[in-house]
Amino acid sequence: TSITSAKIQVNGVHLHYQQTGEGSHAVLLLPGMLGSGQTDFGPQLKSMNKQLFTVVAWDPRGYGKSIPPSRDFPPDFFERDAKDAVDLMQALKFKKFSLLGWSDGGITALIAAAKYPNLIHKLVVWGANASVTQEDVRIYNGIRDVSKWSEKVRKPLEELYGHKYFAETCEAWVDGISRFAENSDGSICQQLLPDIKCPTFIIHGEKDPLVPQAHAEYIHKHIKGSRLLLMPEGKHNLHLRFAKDFNREVENFLR
């Protein structure tokens, strides 16, 4: 089945998305920091079951091909992304859908599932966190300078954005997300977790260098009935590195 790309106006911006499959179960893929459907979810767009699922991957405002506007990080940027994501799916005429959120997209998905419970069927998050600790701020500052990133990770983003936008947006992200550390308990969305009522699957790579495992365990503990899968060899991009295993686990959960 082919993958279609299009833009649709949502909340005053033109959001880019990719769509594939003709299944009755709609699924939205939410990318990480600086991510887009094409850079973050190639193996999912290509290989998820097209008979069972209709798969949509979006570029949040200021990311990927959803520019303009330029990306910024006001205090409510995760809530803004959550509203954009849900409104995008409704604009595409999906009444109910599941969310698959990676990293920042996982945080967005947690907020969307808590705030729009009647729209969300099931929830899968990986590499996500509901709070920011001082240790996290230290980790974020370690990736502030994109010239120190591995070429493999850096190159597709430089091709997508150009060096200047990529470098400046990464710095702005580090500043934006680090601000949550000033909140009580460093909370991003901790208080919303008990409001998530849909079936929830949390996946975490035990070797994730960016998001310590305690974050996954916290989310699991505070979402009633959620399931946690730890992947011993998984790092932050476990859905790319172990795409086959990841897709199988997620499809089984979504069925």
Side-chain angles (χ1 to χ4, degrees):
T1 316
S2 64
I3 299 170
T4 59
S5 290
K7 280 187 159 184
I8 189 166
Q9 188 164 351
V10 177
N11 299 329
V13 294
H14 288 91
L15 295 176
H16 177 264
Y17 67 95
Q18 291 168 288
Q19 184 173 328
T20 186
E22 59 273 332
S24 59
H25 188 156
V27 175
L28 177 66
L29 306 173
L30 298 96
M33 175 263 277
L34 277 160
S36 66
Q38 71 189 63
T39 55
D40 287 13
F41 295 118
Q44 285 68 47
L45 285 163
K46 186 165 163 251
S47 304
M48 277 184 77
N49 187 316
K50 310 282 167 100
Q51 280 69 50
L52 286 180
F53 305 107
T54 296
V55 181
V56 178
W58 81 310
D59 300 358
R61 62 170 73 200
Y63 284 165
K65 293 178 180 164
S66 295
I67 303 172
S70 294
R71 182 71 183 186
D72 62 349
F73 300 94
D76 67 343
F77 73 90
F78 284 117
E79 278 85 1
R80 181 180 68 183
D81 282 350
K83 183 167 174 22
D84 282 349
V86 165
D87 291 351
L88 166 75
M89 291 300 276
Q90 293 204 289
L92 295 175
K93 302 285 186 272
F94 296 110
K95 291 192 170 56
K96 211 168 175 176
F97 44 91
S98 292
L99 300 174
L100 271 63
W102 177 41
S103 197
D104 268 20
I107 300 170
T108 301
L110 291 168
I111 292 169
K115 289 196 159 181
Y116 309 97
N118 52 338
L119 299 176
I120 310 305
H121 186 40
K122 292 185 176 182
L123 172 66
V124 183
V125 296
W126 66 104
N129 47 301
S131 65
V132 175
T133 66
Q134 289 307 321
E135 165 70 359
D136 296 325
V137 173
R138 192 186 62 74
I139 293 170
Y140 302 149
N141 278 302
I143 62 164
R144 179 186 285 274
D145 179 356
V146 297
S147 67
K148 295 183 178 147
W149 290 26
S150 76
E151 192 184 357
K152 191 174 165 216
V153 179
R154 190 179 73 231
K155 208 171 170 208
L157 292 169
E158 275 187 340
E159 283 169 6
L160 181 61
Y161 293 116
H163 179 77
K164 184 173 185 285
Y165 187 91
F166 170 44
E168 287 174 358
T169 306
C170 181
E171 287 202 24
W173 175 84
V174 171
D175 293 338
I177 197 157
S178 297
R179 254 181 252 124
F180 289 103
E182 296 159 19
N183 293 348
S184 153
D185 291 334
S187 178
I188 303 174
C189 61
Q190 287 178 327
Q191 71 291 353
L192 292 175
L193 299 181
D195 295 340
I196 297 174
K197 304 293 187 231
C198 65
T200 301
F201 187 20
I202 301 139
I203 307 173
H204 200 78
E206 290 188 30
K207 294 184 175 174
D208 190 330
L210 293 174
V211 181
Q213 191 173 310
H215 284 300
E217 289 166 353
Y218 182 95
I219 294 167
H220 173 48
K221 188 178 164 190
H222 290 87
I223 299 178
K224 203 176 167 187
S226 63
R227 190 178 143 212
L228 174 63
L229 172 68
L230 298 174
M231 293 179 72
E233 294 303 312
K235 293 187 180 175
H236 196 57
N237 64 343
L238 54 86
H239 65 298
L240 301 176
R241 173 97 189 278
F242 301 104
K244 210 170 161 186
D245 292 346
F246 174 87
N247 287 359
R248 186 185 65 243
E249 289 284 352
V250 167
E251 288 186 4
N252 287 340
F253 171 74
L254 292 175
R255 276 171 205 269

